[in-house]
Amino acid sequence: MAGGRIPKHDFLVWVLARVRLHVPLECPLCSTNMESRQHLFFDCAFSSEVWSFFYSRLHLLPPSLLDDGIRWLKDPSRDSNIVFIVRLAFQACIYGIWRERNTRLHSQVSRPAAVVISEICLILRAKLDILSREQRNLPSTVTYLSNWSLHFV
């Protein structure tokens, strides 16, 4: 998957996994709980809506704890294309949630989860389109993009 990663998404997940993000006291996404990496990315109602969109369409139920979720990403499905999409979506969701959090903190502009989900879908579809073009030279007929279309279109 090394060539299929989106570098800024990959980097943010790396920073998150190493507990290096600096967070304010109150969650800027829901304003109801103290912000922690667990709350911000998984327990917050805003974040849950983002995750639910992607995982429900893939008929997956990942663990709700960050560290368990990262371990789960090693083998979330038997279909290698779905595994790739899940990993890419995980990184894109983390990035999208973090970006929305920062936008709210620094510009006081907030958007609904549906807008963030749409942005994530556009980013993922564009990346999967590029990678699927490379797959066309392989003997397999099922591409990343065809799997994406099956679940998300």
Side-chain angles (χ1 to χ4, degrees), residues 1-58:
M1 183 165 139
R5 293 183 178 155
I6 300 172
K8 61 186 174 185
H9 298 183
D10 192 38
F11 175 74
L12 183 59
V13 171
W14 180 85
V15 171
L16 174 68
R18 282 151 187 81
V19 194
R20 300 285 194 247
L21 295 177
H22 299 287
V23 295
L25 294 178
E26 185 180 86
C27 176
L29 299 177
C30 69
S31 301
T32 59
N33 288 354
M34 300 280 290
E35 183 179 309
S36 67
R37 67 186 190 140
Q38 177 64 41
H39 172 76
L40 178 69
F41 292 107
F42 297 97
D43 298 340
C44 176
F46 181 93
S47 301
S48 295
E49 188 176 339
V50 172
W51 293 115
S52 177
F53 174 84
F54 291 97
Y55 292 129
S56 66
R57 281 163 177 72
L58 294 169

Short mmCIF file of all heavy atoms in Angstrom, two decimals, residues 1-58:
data_model
loop_
_atom_site.label_atom_id
_atom_site.label_comp_id
_atom_site.label_asym_id
_atom_site.label_seq_id
_atom_site.Cartn_x
_atom_site.Cartn_y
_atom_site.Cartn_z
N MET A 1 0.82 -1.18 0.00
CA MET A 1 0.00 0.00 0.00
C MET A 1 0.87 1.25 0.00
O MET A 1 0.35 2.35 -0.06
CB MET A 1 -0.92 -0.02 1.22
CG MET A 1 -1.86 1.15 1.26
SD MET A 1 -3.17 0.89 2.42
CE MET A 1 -3.26 2.50 3.13
N ALA A 2 2.15 1.13 0.05
CA ALA A 2 3.04 2.29 0.16
C ALA A 2 2.75 3.32 -0.92
O ALA A 2 2.67 4.50 -0.65
CB ALA A 2 4.49 1.85 0.12
N GLY A 3 2.58 2.90 -2.16
CA GLY A 3 2.33 3.84 -3.24
C GLY A 3 0.92 4.38 -3.24
O GLY A 3 0.63 5.37 -3.88
N GLY A 4 0.01 3.75 -2.50
CA GLY A 4 -1.38 4.16 -2.50
C GLY A 4 -1.76 5.11 -1.39
O GLY A 4 -2.88 5.54 -1.31
N ARG A 5 -0.84 5.45 -0.54
CA ARG A 5 -1.15 6.33 0.59
C ARG A 5 -1.23 7.78 0.15
O ARG A 5 -0.58 8.21 -0.79
CB ARG A 5 -0.08 6.20 1.67
CG ARG A 5 -0.10 4.84 2.30
CD ARG A 5 0.90 4.75 3.40
NE ARG A 5 0.81 3.42 4.01
CZ ARG A 5 1.78 2.85 4.63
NH1 ARG A 5 2.94 3.44 4.77
NH2 ARG A 5 1.61 1.66 5.16
N ILE A 6 -2.02 8.53 0.89
CA ILE A 6 -2.06 9.97 0.72
C ILE A 6 -1.19 10.53 1.84
O ILE A 6 -1.52 10.38 3.02
CB ILE A 6 -3.50 10.50 0.79
CG1 ILE A 6 -4.35 9.86 -0.33
CG2 ILE A 6 -3.52 12.03 0.71
CD1 ILE A 6 -5.83 10.16 -0.24
N PRO A 7 -0.03 11.10 1.51
CA PRO A 7 0.98 11.45 2.51
C PRO A 7 0.49 12.26 3.71
O PRO A 7 0.80 11.91 4.85
CB PRO A 7 2.02 12.23 1.71
CG PRO A 7 1.91 11.68 0.34
CD PRO A 7 0.43 11.40 0.15
N LYS A 8 -0.29 13.32 3.50
CA LYS A 8 -0.71 14.12 4.65
C LYS A 8 -1.69 13.36 5.54
O LYS A 8 -1.69 13.55 6.75
CB LYS A 8 -1.27 15.47 4.23
CG LYS A 8 -2.49 15.44 3.34
CD LYS A 8 -2.83 16.85 2.88
CE LYS A 8 -3.96 16.83 1.87
NZ LYS A 8 -4.22 18.17 1.35
N HIS A 9 -2.48 12.46 4.98
CA HIS A 9 -3.38 11.63 5.78
C HIS A 9 -2.55 10.62 6.58
O HIS A 9 -2.78 10.41 7.76
CB HIS A 9 -4.37 10.88 4.90
CG HIS A 9 -5.28 11.78 4.12
ND1 HIS A 9 -6.26 11.28 3.32
CD2 HIS A 9 -5.35 13.13 3.99
CE1 HIS A 9 -6.91 12.28 2.73
NE2 HIS A 9 -6.36 13.41 3.13
N ASP A 10 -1.61 10.00 5.89
CA ASP A 10 -0.73 9.01 6.51
C ASP A 10 0.05 9.63 7.68
O ASP A 10 0.15 9.05 8.75
CB ASP A 10 0.22 8.46 5.45
CG ASP A 10 0.98 7.23 5.90
OD1 ASP A 10 0.39 6.40 6.61
OD2 ASP A 10 2.16 7.11 5.53
N PHE A 11 0.58 10.83 7.48
CA PHE A 11 1.36 11.50 8.52
C PHE A 11 0.51 11.81 9.74
O PHE A 11 0.93 11.59 10.88
CB PHE A 11 1.98 12.80 7.97
CG PHE A 11 2.69 13.59 9.03
CD1 PHE A 11 3.92 13.16 9.52
CD2 PHE A 11 2.13 14.74 9.55
CE1 PHE A 11 4.58 13.87 10.51
CE2 PHE A 11 2.78 15.46 10.54
CZ PHE A 11 4.01 15.03 11.02
N LEU A 12 -0.72 12.32 9.52
CA LEU A 12 -1.57 12.66 10.65
C LEU A 12 -1.91 11.42 11.47
O LEU A 12 -1.91 11.46 12.71
CB LEU A 12 -2.85 13.36 10.19
CG LEU A 12 -3.78 13.81 11.32
CD1 LEU A 12 -3.06 14.78 12.27
CD2 LEU A 12 -5.02 14.45 10.77
N VAL A 13 -2.18 10.29 10.82
CA VAL A 13 -2.46 9.05 11.56
C VAL A 13 -1.22 8.62 12.34
O VAL A 13 -1.32 8.18 13.48
CB VAL A 13 -2.96 7.93 10.62
CG1 VAL A 13 -3.03 6.60 11.34
CG2 VAL A 13 -4.31 8.31 10.03
N TRP A 14 -0.04 8.79 11.77
CA TRP A 14 1.22 8.48 12.46
C TRP A 14 1.36 9.34 13.72
O TRP A 14 1.68 8.83 14.80
CB TRP A 14 2.39 8.71 11.51
CG TRP A 14 3.72 8.42 12.10
CD1 TRP A 14 4.35 7.21 12.17
CD2 TRP A 14 4.63 9.36 12.69
NE1 TRP A 14 5.57 7.35 12.77
CE2 TRP A 14 5.77 8.66 13.11
CE3 TRP A 14 4.57 10.74 12.92
CZ2 TRP A 14 6.85 9.27 13.74
CZ3 TRP A 14 5.64 11.35 13.54
CH2 TRP A 14 6.76 10.63 13.94
N VAL A 15 1.08 10.63 13.61
CA VAL A 15 1.17 11.54 14.76
C VAL A 15 0.13 11.15 15.80
O VAL A 15 0.42 11.09 17.00
CB VAL A 15 0.99 13.01 14.31
CG1 VAL A 15 0.85 13.94 15.51
CG2 VAL A 15 2.16 13.46 13.44
N LEU A 16 -1.08 10.85 15.36
CA LEU A 16 -2.16 10.46 16.27
C LEU A 16 -1.81 9.19 17.03
O LEU A 16 -1.99 9.12 18.25
CB LEU A 16 -3.45 10.24 15.47
CG LEU A 16 -4.65 9.70 16.25
CD1 LEU A 16 -5.14 10.73 17.23
CD2 LEU A 16 -5.74 9.30 15.28
N ALA A 17 -1.28 8.20 16.35
CA ALA A 17 -0.94 6.92 16.99
C ALA A 17 0.15 7.08 18.04
O ALA A 17 0.24 6.29 18.97
CB ALA A 17 -0.52 5.90 15.94
N ARG A 18 0.96 8.11 17.90
CA ARG A 18 2.06 8.35 18.85
C ARG A 18 1.71 9.38 19.91
O ARG A 18 2.57 9.87 20.61
CB ARG A 18 3.32 8.75 18.09
CG ARG A 18 3.96 7.50 17.49
CD ARG A 18 4.73 7.77 16.23
NE ARG A 18 5.18 6.53 15.62
CZ ARG A 18 4.45 5.75 14.87
NH1 ARG A 18 3.19 6.03 14.66
NH2 ARG A 18 4.93 4.65 14.33
N VAL A 19 0.43 9.71 20.00
CA VAL A 19 -0.09 10.64 21.01
C VAL A 19 0.68 11.97 20.99
O VAL A 19 1.16 12.45 22.00
CB VAL A 19 -0.08 10.01 22.43
CG1 VAL A 19 -0.91 10.84 23.39
CG2 VAL A 19 -0.56 8.57 22.41
N ARG A 20 0.80 12.56 19.82
CA ARG A 20 1.54 13.80 19.67
C ARG A 20 0.67 15.00 19.29
O ARG A 20 1.18 16.06 19.01
CB ARG A 20 2.63 13.64 18.60
CG ARG A 20 3.63 12.58 18.89
CD ARG A 20 4.60 13.05 19.98
NE ARG A 20 5.74 12.18 20.05
CZ ARG A 20 6.01 11.39 21.07
NH1 ARG A 20 5.22 11.36 22.11
NH2 ARG A 20 7.06 10.62 21.05
N LEU A 21 -0.65 14.81 19.25
CA LEU A 21 -1.53 15.91 18.90
C LEU A 21 -1.81 16.74 20.15
O LEU A 21 -2.03 16.20 21.23
CB LEU A 21 -2.85 15.39 18.34
CG LEU A 21 -2.77 14.65 17.01
CD1 LEU A 21 -4.15 14.14 16.63
CD2 LEU A 21 -2.22 15.54 15.92
N HIS A 22 -1.82 18.05 20.00
CA HIS A 22 -2.15 18.94 21.11
C HIS A 22 -3.61 19.33 20.97
O HIS A 22 -4.05 19.78 19.91
CB HIS A 22 -1.25 20.18 21.07
CG HIS A 22 0.19 19.83 21.20
ND1 HIS A 22 0.74 19.41 22.38
CD2 HIS A 22 1.18 19.79 20.28
CE1 HIS A 22 2.02 19.15 22.19
NE2 HIS A 22 2.31 19.37 20.92
N VAL A 23 -4.36 19.18 22.04
CA VAL A 23 -5.80 19.39 21.97
C VAL A 23 -6.26 20.38 23.04
O VAL A 23 -5.69 20.45 24.12
CB VAL A 23 -6.57 18.06 22.12
CG1 VAL A 23 -6.28 17.13 20.98
CG2 VAL A 23 -6.24 17.38 23.43
N PRO A 24 -7.32 21.17 22.74
CA PRO A 24 -7.88 22.08 23.74
C PRO A 24 -8.72 21.30 24.75
O PRO A 24 -8.90 20.09 24.61
CB PRO A 24 -8.75 23.02 22.90
CG PRO A 24 -9.16 22.19 21.75
CD PRO A 24 -7.99 21.27 21.46
N LEU A 25 -9.29 22.00 25.70
CA LEU A 25 -10.07 21.32 26.74
C LEU A 25 -11.43 20.83 26.25
O LEU A 25 -11.84 19.72 26.53
CB LEU A 25 -10.26 22.25 27.93
CG LEU A 25 -8.97 22.58 28.68
CD1 LEU A 25 -9.26 23.55 29.81
CD2 LEU A 25 -8.32 21.31 29.21
N GLU A 26 -12.14 21.66 25.50
CA GLU A 26 -13.48 21.30 25.06
C GLU A 26 -13.46 20.89 23.58
O GLU A 26 -12.82 21.52 22.77
CB GLU A 26 -14.42 22.49 25.23
CG GLU A 26 -15.86 22.18 24.91
CD GLU A 26 -16.74 23.39 25.12
OE1 GLU A 26 -16.85 24.21 24.18
OE2 GLU A 26 -17.31 23.52 26.21
N CYS A 27 -14.19 19.84 23.25
CA CYS A 27 -14.26 19.37 21.87
C CYS A 27 -14.92 20.42 20.99
O CYS A 27 -16.07 20.79 21.23
CB CYS A 27 -15.04 18.06 21.80
SG CYS A 27 -15.29 17.46 20.11
N PRO A 28 -14.23 20.93 19.96
CA PRO A 28 -14.82 21.94 19.10
C PRO A 28 -15.88 21.38 18.14
O PRO A 28 -16.61 22.15 17.52
CB PRO A 28 -13.63 22.50 18.32
CG PRO A 28 -12.57 21.48 18.42
CD PRO A 28 -12.83 20.67 19.65
N LEU A 29 -15.98 20.06 18.04
CA LEU A 29 -16.97 19.47 17.14
C LEU A 29 -18.34 19.32 17.79
O LEU A 29 -19.36 19.43 17.13
CB LEU A 29 -16.47 18.11 16.64
CG LEU A 29 -15.17 18.14 15.83
CD1 LEU A 29 -14.76 16.73 15.46
CD2 LEU A 29 -15.30 19.00 14.61
N CYS A 30 -18.36 19.05 19.09
CA CYS A 30 -19.65 18.84 19.76
C CYS A 30 -19.88 19.78 20.94
O CYS A 30 -21.00 19.93 21.40
CB CYS A 30 -19.79 17.39 20.22
SG CYS A 30 -18.69 16.93 21.57
N SER A 31 -18.82 20.37 21.45
CA SER A 31 -18.88 21.30 22.59
C SER A 31 -19.54 20.70 23.83
O SER A 31 -20.05 21.43 24.67
CB SER A 31 -19.61 22.60 22.20
OG SER A 31 -18.96 23.22 21.14
N THR A 32 -19.55 19.39 23.93
CA THR A 32 -20.20 18.77 25.10
C THR A 32 -19.24 17.99 25.97
O THR A 32 -19.56 17.71 27.12
CB THR A 32 -21.34 17.83 24.67
OG1 THR A 32 -20.81 16.82 23.83
CG2 THR A 32 -22.43 18.59 23.93
N ASN A 33 -18.09 17.61 25.45
CA ASN A 33 -17.16 16.78 26.21
C ASN A 33 -15.76 17.38 26.17
O ASN A 33 -15.45 18.19 25.31
CB ASN A 33 -17.10 15.36 25.64
CG ASN A 33 -18.34 14.57 25.92
OD1 ASN A 33 -19.23 15.01 26.62
ND2 ASN A 33 -18.42 13.40 25.34
N MET A 34 -14.94 16.89 27.07
CA MET A 34 -13.53 17.25 27.04
C MET A 34 -12.92 16.59 25.81
O MET A 34 -13.26 15.47 25.46
CB MET A 34 -12.83 16.73 28.30
CG MET A 34 -13.38 17.28 29.60
SD MET A 34 -12.77 18.91 29.94
CE MET A 34 -11.08 18.57 30.32
N GLU A 35 -12.01 17.30 25.15
CA GLU A 35 -11.39 16.74 23.96
C GLU A 35 -10.22 15.85 24.35
O GLU A 35 -9.36 16.24 25.14
CB GLU A 35 -10.90 17.83 23.02
CG GLU A 35 -10.32 17.25 21.75
CD GLU A 35 -9.85 18.31 20.77
OE1 GLU A 35 -10.62 19.22 20.47
OE2 GLU A 35 -8.70 18.19 20.32
N SER A 36 -10.22 14.68 23.81
CA SER A 36 -9.09 13.74 23.89
C SER A 36 -9.02 13.10 22.51
O SER A 36 -9.95 13.24 21.71
CB SER A 36 -9.35 12.66 24.95
OG SER A 36 -10.44 11.84 24.55
N ARG A 37 -7.97 12.41 22.23
CA ARG A 37 -7.91 11.80 20.90
C ARG A 37 -9.00 10.75 20.74
O ARG A 37 -9.58 10.63 19.67
CB ARG A 37 -6.51 11.25 20.60
CG ARG A 37 -6.09 10.09 21.42
CD ARG A 37 -4.65 9.70 21.14
NE ARG A 37 -4.40 8.42 21.81
CZ ARG A 37 -3.72 7.45 21.31
NH1 ARG A 37 -3.14 7.58 20.14
NH2 ARG A 37 -3.56 6.34 21.96
N GLN A 38 -9.31 10.00 21.79
CA GLN A 38 -10.39 9.01 21.72
C GLN A 38 -11.73 9.70 21.45
O GLN A 38 -12.49 9.29 20.59
CB GLN A 38 -10.45 8.18 23.00
CG GLN A 38 -11.60 7.17 23.04
CD GLN A 38 -11.50 6.09 21.97
OE1 GLN A 38 -10.43 5.58 21.69
NE2 GLN A 38 -12.62 5.74 21.37
N HIS A 39 -12.00 10.76 22.21
CA HIS A 39 -13.28 11.45 22.02
C HIS A 39 -13.35 12.11 20.65
O HIS A 39 -14.31 11.91 19.91
CB HIS A 39 -13.52 12.51 23.10
CG HIS A 39 -14.73 13.32 22.78
ND1 HIS A 39 -16.02 12.86 22.98
CD2 HIS A 39 -14.87 14.54 22.20
CE1 HIS A 39 -16.88 13.76 22.55
NE2 HIS A 39 -16.21 14.80 22.07
N LEU A 40 -12.35 12.90 20.31
CA LEU A 40 -12.37 13.67 19.06
C LEU A 40 -12.57 12.79 17.84
O LEU A 40 -13.39 13.08 16.98
CB LEU A 40 -11.07 14.47 18.91
CG LEU A 40 -10.95 15.27 17.61
CD1 LEU A 40 -11.94 16.43 17.61
CD2 LEU A 40 -9.53 15.79 17.44
N PHE A 41 -11.83 11.70 17.76
CA PHE A 41 -11.86 10.89 16.54
C PHE A 41 -12.86 9.75 16.55
O PHE A 41 -13.18 9.22 15.49
CB PHE A 41 -10.46 10.36 16.24
CG PHE A 41 -9.49 11.45 15.86
CD1 PHE A 41 -8.52 11.86 16.74
CD2 PHE A 41 -9.59 12.07 14.63
CE1 PHE A 41 -7.64 12.87 16.40
CE2 PHE A 41 -8.73 13.09 14.27
CZ PHE A 41 -7.75 13.49 15.16
N PHE A 42 -13.38 9.36 17.72
CA PHE A 42 -14.26 8.19 17.74
C PHE A 42 -15.54 8.35 18.55
O PHE A 42 -16.59 7.90 18.14
CB PHE A 42 -13.49 6.95 18.22
CG PHE A 42 -12.37 6.60 17.29
CD1 PHE A 42 -11.08 7.02 17.55
CD2 PHE A 42 -12.61 5.91 16.12
CE1 PHE A 42 -10.04 6.74 16.68
CE2 PHE A 42 -11.59 5.62 15.23
CZ PHE A 42 -10.30 6.04 15.51
N ASP A 43 -15.47 8.98 19.71
CA ASP A 43 -16.64 9.05 20.58
C ASP A 43 -17.55 10.24 20.30
O ASP A 43 -18.74 10.20 20.61
CB ASP A 43 -16.21 9.08 22.05
CG ASP A 43 -15.46 7.81 22.47
OD1 ASP A 43 -15.61 6.78 21.76
OD2 ASP A 43 -14.74 7.85 23.47
N CYS A 44 -17.02 11.29 19.73
CA CYS A 44 -17.79 12.50 19.42
C CYS A 44 -18.90 12.15 18.41
O CYS A 44 -18.69 11.37 17.48
CB CYS A 44 -16.85 13.55 18.84
SG CYS A 44 -17.68 15.05 18.30
N ALA A 45 -20.07 12.73 18.61
CA ALA A 45 -21.20 12.45 17.70
C ALA A 45 -20.86 12.82 16.26
O ALA A 45 -21.25 12.10 15.33
CB ALA A 45 -22.44 13.21 18.18
N PHE A 46 -20.15 13.91 16.06
CA PHE A 46 -19.75 14.33 14.71
C PHE A 46 -18.88 13.26 14.07
O PHE A 46 -19.14 12.83 12.94
CB PHE A 46 -18.99 15.66 14.80
CG PHE A 46 -18.55 16.20 13.46
CD1 PHE A 46 -19.35 17.10 12.78
CD2 PHE A 46 -17.35 15.82 12.89
CE1 PHE A 46 -18.96 17.61 11.55
CE2 PHE A 46 -16.95 16.31 11.67
CZ PHE A 46 -17.75 17.21 10.99
N SER A 47 -17.85 12.83 14.77
CA SER A 47 -16.93 11.81 14.25
C SER A 47 -17.65 10.49 14.01
O SER A 47 -17.40 9.82 13.00
CB SER A 47 -15.77 11.61 15.21
OG SER A 47 -15.08 12.82 15.39
N SER A 48 -18.51 10.12 14.93
CA SER A 48 -19.27 8.87 14.77
C SER A 48 -20.09 8.86 13.50
O SER A 48 -20.21 7.84 12.82
CB SER A 48 -20.19 8.64 15.98
OG SER A 48 -19.43 8.44 17.14
N GLU A 49 -20.65 10.01 13.16
CA GLU A 49 -21.43 10.12 11.92
C GLU A 49 -20.54 9.90 10.70
O GLU A 49 -20.93 9.23 9.74
CB GLU A 49 -22.11 11.48 11.84
CG GLU A 49 -23.08 11.62 10.70
CD GLU A 49 -23.83 12.94 10.70
OE1 GLU A 49 -23.92 13.60 11.75
OE2 GLU A 49 -24.32 13.32 9.62
N VAL A 50 -19.34 10.45 10.74
CA VAL A 50 -18.40 10.27 9.63
C VAL A 50 -18.03 8.81 9.50
O VAL A 50 -18.12 8.22 8.42
CB VAL A 50 -17.14 11.15 9.83
CG1 VAL A 50 -16.09 10.83 8.78
CG2 VAL A 50 -17.51 12.64 9.79
N TRP A 51 -17.61 8.18 10.60
CA TRP A 51 -17.21 6.76 10.56
C TRP A 51 -18.37 5.88 10.11
O TRP A 51 -18.18 4.97 9.31
CB TRP A 51 -16.73 6.29 11.92
CG TRP A 51 -15.46 6.92 12.36
CD1 TRP A 51 -15.29 7.76 13.42
CD2 TRP A 51 -14.16 6.78 11.76
NE1 TRP A 51 -13.98 8.15 13.51
CE2 TRP A 51 -13.26 7.56 12.51
CE3 TRP A 51 -13.69 6.08 10.67
CZ2 TRP A 51 -11.91 7.65 12.21
CZ3 TRP A 51 -12.34 6.17 10.36
CH2 TRP A 51 -11.47 6.94 11.13
N SER A 52 -19.53 6.15 10.65
CA SER A 52 -20.70 5.32 10.34
C SER A 52 -21.00 5.29 8.85
O SER A 52 -21.36 4.25 8.30
CB SER A 52 -21.90 5.84 11.12
OG SER A 52 -23.04 5.11 10.79
N PHE A 53 -20.86 6.44 8.19
CA PHE A 53 -21.11 6.49 6.76
C PHE A 53 -20.27 5.47 6.01
O PHE A 53 -20.77 4.71 5.19
CB PHE A 53 -20.83 7.90 6.21
CG PHE A 53 -20.94 7.97 4.71
CD1 PHE A 53 -22.18 8.15 4.11
CD2 PHE A 53 -19.82 7.82 3.90
CE1 PHE A 53 -22.29 8.19 2.73
CE2 PHE A 53 -19.93 7.86 2.52
CZ PHE A 53 -21.16 8.04 1.93
N PHE A 54 -18.98 5.44 6.30
CA PHE A 54 -18.07 4.56 5.55
C PHE A 54 -18.20 3.10 5.97
O PHE A 54 -18.33 2.22 5.12
CB PHE A 54 -16.62 5.05 5.70
CG PHE A 54 -16.41 6.35 5.00
CD1 PHE A 54 -16.45 7.55 5.68
CD2 PHE A 54 -16.22 6.39 3.62
CE1 PHE A 54 -16.29 8.75 5.03
CE2 PHE A 54 -16.06 7.59 2.95
CZ PHE A 54 -16.10 8.78 3.66
N TYR A 55 -18.18 2.83 7.24
CA TYR A 55 -18.18 1.44 7.68
C TYR A 55 -19.53 0.76 7.49
O TYR A 55 -19.57 -0.44 7.22
CB TYR A 55 -17.70 1.33 9.12
CG TYR A 55 -16.24 1.67 9.24
CD1 TYR A 55 -15.79 2.59 10.16
CD2 TYR A 55 -15.31 1.08 8.39
CE1 TYR A 55 -14.43 2.90 10.26
CE2 TYR A 55 -13.96 1.39 8.47
CZ TYR A 55 -13.53 2.29 9.41
OH TYR A 55 -12.21 2.61 9.49
N SER A 56 -20.61 1.49 7.58
CA SER A 56 -21.91 0.85 7.39
C SER A 56 -22.07 0.39 5.93
O SER A 56 -22.64 -0.66 5.67
CB SER A 56 -23.04 1.80 7.77
OG SER A 56 -23.09 2.91 6.90
N ARG A 57 -21.55 1.15 4.99
CA ARG A 57 -21.66 0.77 3.59
C ARG A 57 -20.79 -0.44 3.24
O ARG A 57 -21.06 -1.14 2.28
CB ARG A 57 -21.33 1.96 2.70
CG ARG A 57 -22.50 2.91 2.60
CD ARG A 57 -22.11 4.26 2.09
NE ARG A 57 -23.27 5.13 1.93
CZ ARG A 57 -23.95 5.66 2.94
NH1 ARG A 57 -23.61 5.41 4.18
NH2 ARG A 57 -24.98 6.45 2.71
N LEU A 58 -19.74 -0.63 4.01
CA LEU A 58 -18.87 -1.79 3.80
C LEU A 58 -19.28 -2.97 4.67
O LEU A 58 -18.64 -4.02 4.64
CB LEU A 58 -17.41 -1.40 4.09
CG LEU A 58 -16.81 -0.37 3.13
CD1 LEU A 58 -15.48 0.14 3.67
CD2 LEU A 58 -16.64 -0.97 1.74
#
